[in-house]
Amino acid sequence: MIKINQYQIGATARPFIIAEMSGNHNQSLERALEIVEAAAESGAHALKIQTYTADTLTLDVRGKGFLIEDEGNLWKGRNLYDLYNEAYTPWEWHEPIFNRAKELGMVAFSTPFDDSAVDFLETLDVPLYKIASFENTDLPLIKKVAATGKPMIVSTGMANAAELDELVRTAKENGCKDLILLKCTSTYPATPENTNIATIPHMRELFDVQVGLSDHTMGTGVAVAAVTLGATVIEKHFTLSRADGGVDAAFSMEPAEMKALVEETERAWQAIGKVTYGPTEKEKASLKFRRSIYVAKDIQAGESFTEENIRIVRPGYGLEPKYYPNLIGKVAKKSYTMGTPITFDDLI
């Protein structure tokens, strides 16, 4: 179990839901604070932003390699520097965003993208750190964050098993005691058939850490299914309205959807339970609605039990239906009135 402020994260705690603001503030601090408030009202447990500038993430260069050209890419035609300059969260906004989230009972933290971001976030005393999929092979950054000694959540998009092994060992060897990996598909939006959440229990066993899901699919179905496979953390991009636009709006959840995610993942977690057979305590009261053997017509002593005078009906206070063939043709030792349950004594 990992404790973050007032929240417990682990198999015996409800799923920890992270609302990722990313660039959905659309360069408005007022909107950013509205997103925080909407996330809290939706029931999200944490609010995450990203800490970088265009200059800490890329170079102000035009041309091949710095232009997104992939067919079907949400940001096709955009220059990396311009895209990151539009999406970044000004560092002077971090404190008011974090303060508002904490006032509303949420955990507030961020994804740093370089050493300067970690140093800055340390001045704000963030309780944990997130590493993005595209940075999960940046071992110097992993070391820097691990050295803070705070819990780390790392998205695993694109990483193979060897790279994840290196990541986990680097984090643990450099001071990270609490590590959570998030299964992630680094496409935007992602499709359910390309999500492969069957990896979640395998990853948990392979690296002996908690595993969750960073989910870029639409809707709640994939996240709910992930919880049944043992995901303890669910991260989803969040916005006030996709219609408002913004760099990540197309694959972000709206408030009503986030509320449904919180509720449905908790229901899924509650439903996992344990391996059990037979009636539960709550079911025992329903046993009476099973079928059993009853007298269907008055029977006199010395008459035989027949298909006309005994039947398998509800309620279930009589002998189990499996004994019905054994009763047919047997002579009644006493008289019975219609509606009397047949008992085991009547079979002897």
Side-chain angles (χ1 to χ4, degrees):
M1 193 68 73
I2 296 172
K3 191 171 191 304
I4 308 291
N5 294 353
Q6 72 270 36
Y7 294 104
Q8 300 279 349
I9 304 177
T12 58
R14 62 183 178 173
F16 186 69
I17 308 299
I18 301 169
E20 159 71 88
M21 184 186 301
S22 187
N24 287 326
H25 47 65
N26 296 348
Q27 289 305 308
S28 164
L29 176 57
E30 181 181 0
R31 179 181 171 86
L33 295 175
E34 288 176 359
I35 289 174
V36 173
E37 291 163 4
E41 191 173 344
S42 299
H45 309 121
L47 186 286
K48 190 185 80 66
I49 58 177
Q50 298 178 357
T51 307
Y52 65 86
T53 67
D55 290 301
T56 64
L57 208 50
T58 189
L59 302 173
D60 189 2
V61 174
R62 311 288 143 166
K64 194 164 183 63
F66 292 86
L67 181 71
I68 300 173
E69 300 178 297
D70 312 70
E71 287 300 328
N73 190 295
L74 187 63
W75 303 290
K76 186 178 186 293
R78 298 295 304 272
N79 171 267
L80 290 181
Y81 189 89
D82 293 343
L83 178 64
Y84 299 144
N85 208 35
E86 177 186 337
Y88 95 108
T89 302
W91 292 22
E92 63 270 21
W93 291 6
H94 282 50
E95 189 167 15
I97 289 172
F98 286 173
N99 286 344
R100 191 72 186 109
K102 287 185 283 189
E103 286 168 6
L104 294 169
M106 286 190 292
V107 174
F109 68 112
S110 185
T111 299
F113 288 81
D114 76 321
D115 286 5
S116 68
V118 179
D119 291 337
F120 171 67
L121 290 168
E122 279 296 284
T123 69
L124 299 177
D125 196 27
V126 293
L128 76 158
Y129 285 93
K130 167 75 190 300
I131 301 293
S133 286
F134 292 95
E135 276 61 47
N136 62 32
T137 57
D138 185 349
L139 297 186
L141 179 61
I142 301 294
K143 289 180 181 179
K144 176 78 173 180
V145 173
T148 67
K150 294 176 180 176
M152 293 175 64
I153 298 175
V154 185
S155 283
T156 62
M158 304 169 291
N160 60 39
E163 289 169 334
L164 291 179
D165 180 65
E166 196 169 29
L167 180 162
V168 171
R169 284 190 291 105
T170 299
K172 289 183 175 180
E173 290 169 2
N174 286 273
C176 178
K177 295 182 176 62
D178 296 318
L179 177 65
I180 301 171
L181 300 179
L182 301 186
K183 177 69 182 74
C184 181
T185 301
S186 296
T187 54
Y188 307 88
T191 59
E193 60 268 26
N194 195 33
T195 303
N196 299 308
I197 58 173
T199 311
I200 289 172
H202 185 269
M203 190 184 294
R204 182 177 62 243
E205 293 168 12
L206 192 60
F207 300 110
D208 192 27
V209 296
Q210 288 192 43
V211 178
L213 176 71
S214 179
D215 186 17
H216 301 140
T217 65
M218 304 305 289
T220 63
V222 172
V224 168
V227 168
T228 68
L229 291 173
T232 57
V233 174
I234 301 292
E235 178 187 69
K236 278 272 200 179
H237 284 245
F238 182 72
T239 189
L240 296 175
S241 170
R242 285 187 290 275
D244 293 343
V247 293
D248 293 338
F251 58 92
S252 295
M253 282 196 141
E254 296 179 349
E257 295 166 331
M258 179 61 75
K259 185 174 188 295
L261 176 75
V262 173
E263 293 173 350
E264 294 305 322
T265 53
E266 183 167 354
R267 285 193 181 106
W269 167 71
Q270 290 171 335
I272 294 168
K274 60 186 179 182
V275 176
T276 181
Y277 296 96
T280 64
E281 284 301 315
K282 292 288 187 181
E283 284 180 308
K284 285 178 180 177
S286 296
L287 286 173
K288 61 180 173 287
F289 298 117
R290 281 181 163 180
R291 293 163 79 96
S292 66
I293 306 171
Y294 268 75
V295 175
K297 291 182 177 179
D298 290 349
I299 301 172
Q300 300 301 316
E303 289 184 28
S304 295
F305 293 117
T306 68
E307 292 179 358
E308 286 71 39
N309 60 26
I310 61 170
R311 287 179 54 199
I312 298 171
V313 296
R314 294 181 183 181
Y317 296 112
L319 198 61
E320 293 175 8
K322 65 181 179 181
Y323 295 108
Y324 186 78
N326 302 91
L327 279 166
I328 298 299
K330 190 174 181 62
V331 175
K333 294 181 289 185
K334 63 180 182 180
S335 297
Y336 299 87
T337 58
M338 179 181 173
T340 303
I342 298 293
T343 66
F344 194 74
D345 289 339
D346 301 312
L347 187 61
I348 299 172

